[in-house]
């Protein structure tokens, strides 16, 4: 027996974009719970409908998508779905500061609006399943940001709770590897990798892989152009 349909809110100031994305999602069995034309409407819609995923435009009048994302996720995603609503940022602007602002606000993914219908649907389902959209180009921008900052990395005490193997998985995860790629690299089963990733997120109090990548760079566990000291496999 299949579970309840995946539900989404589409927030964009262009009605044509909302309609187009809505048709794409509906054609794949994803219910559009509500639409919003600005950030304030998006926040209200999520609180009212408690969707699984929000497709959030960045540039909207009044409250923008970054602030709306920040507010929603500060509330635990307005308690939408079993683990709270997840946000995918959609924009026509492939700019560094938007990427970093969206990810640090708590977004689980970042897509350009020229995404194919198949990729859009896959992204919504992937994020709802608890994964994150961190394409290599986005990871590269994140790395470049840390490569050019002046302040030193701040050590994170939470890392001491990770086992050597979990630290190794976190380092590789921070380079943008998927679970399947991690399994191949570490000669582990996908199920074992998924278990390691889940434990890492739990121990560090993180929502998803995006936050794990940010923490890995902010803590100095991995450095731009390289990595941390080699882990002791266990």
């Amino acid at each position: 027996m299949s579970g309840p349909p995946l539900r989404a809110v589409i927030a964009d100031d262009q009605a044509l974009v909302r309609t187009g994305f809505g048709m794409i999602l509906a054609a794949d069995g994803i219910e559009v719970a509500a639409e919003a034309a600005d950030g304030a409407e998006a926040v209200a819609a999520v609180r009212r409908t408690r969707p699984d995923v929000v497709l959030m435009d960045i540039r909207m009048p009044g409250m923008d998508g970054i602030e709306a994302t920040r507010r929603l996720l500060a509330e635990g995603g307005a308690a939408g779905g079993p683990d709270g609503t997840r946000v995918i940022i959609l924009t026509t602007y492939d700019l560094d500061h938007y990427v970093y602002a969206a990810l640090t606000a708590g977004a689980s993914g970042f897509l350009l609006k020229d995404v194919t219908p198949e990729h859009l649907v896959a992204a919504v389902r992937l994020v709802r399943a608890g994964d994150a959209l961190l394409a290599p180009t986005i990871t590269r921008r994140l790395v470049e940001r840390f490569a050019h900052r002046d302040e030193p990395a701040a050590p994170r005490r939470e890392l001491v709770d990770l086992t050597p193997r979990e630290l190794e998985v976190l380092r590789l995860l921070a380079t943008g590897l998927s679970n399947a790629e991690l399994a191949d690299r570490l000669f582990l089963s996908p199920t074992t990798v998924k278990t390691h990733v889940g434990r890492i997120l739990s121990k560090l109090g993180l929502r998803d892989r995006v936050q794990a990548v940010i923490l890995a760079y902010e803590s100095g566990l991995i450095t731009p152009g390289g990595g941390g000291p080699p882990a002791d496999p266990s």
Side-chain angles (χ1 to χ4, degrees), residues 67 79 94 101-103 123 145 160 177 201:
E67 179 59 25
D94 190 11
L103 298 183
R145 181 180 180 90
V160 302
L177 296 185
L201 299 181

Side-chain angles (χ1 to χ4, degrees), residues 18-225:
R18 297 196 304 272
T19 299
F21 285 151
M23 292 175 63
I24 291 170
L25 297 182
D28 201 74
I30 298 172
E31 177 186 338
V32 178
E35 295 183 7
D38 58 42
E41 287 186 13
V43 171
V46 171
R47 289 172 176 165
R48 183 177 69 252
T49 65
R50 300 193 171 189
D52 298 294
V53 176
V54 181
L55 297 179
M56 184 82 77
D57 187 23
I58 285 184
R59 288 193 172 187
M60 294 184 287
M63 184 190 301
D64 65 19
I66 300 298
E67 179 59 25
T69 297
R70 188 176 293 113
R71 292 192 186 190
L72 286 174
L73 299 180
E75 302 174 2
D83 301 309
T85 298
R86 310 222 173 210
V87 176
I88 298 175
I89 295 292
L90 286 164
T91 183
T92 54
Y93 302 96
D94 190 11
L95 301 176
D96 297 356
H97 65 283
Y98 285 138
V99 173
Y100 187 73
L103 298 183
T104 54
S108 294
F110 188 102
L111 292 174
L112 295 180
K113 287 184 180 178
D114 62 0
V115 62
T116 65
E118 295 78 13
H119 193 181
L120 177 65
V121 169
V124 170
R125 295 193 179 281
L126 180 72
V127 165
R128 177 60 268 170
D131 212 328
L133 293 169
L134 205 61
T137 54
I138 303 302
T139 304
R140 204 156 46 238
R141 285 177 176 79
L142 190 60
V143 171
E144 289 168 356
R145 181 180 180 90
F146 285 104
H148 293 98
R149 68 179 190 176
D150 297 325
E151 68 274 17
R156 297 293 291 261
R157 286 183 295 176
E158 303 99 308
L159 294 180
V160 302
D161 294 329
L162 300 184
T163 66
R165 174 61 95 184
E166 288 167 350
L167 284 169
E168 182 179 30
V169 170
L170 179 55
R171 286 189 185 95
L172 293 175
L173 184 156
T175 66
L177 296 185
S178 66
N179 279 2
E181 292 167 332
L182 285 168
D184 288 341
R185 179 74 62 88
L186 298 173
F187 302 102
L188 298 173
S189 71
T191 300
T192 299
V193 168
K194 186 176 181 179
T195 298
H196 280 310
V197 172
R199 287 176 178 167
I200 290 167
L201 299 181
S202 178
K203 287 182 177 181
L204 299 178
L206 304 175
R207 181 182 302 109
D208 54 35
R209 299 165 73 97
V210 170
Q211 291 190 327
V213 171
I214 292 173
L215 182 143
Y217 283 101
E218 288 183 337
S219 66
L221 178 66
I222 185 169
T223 56

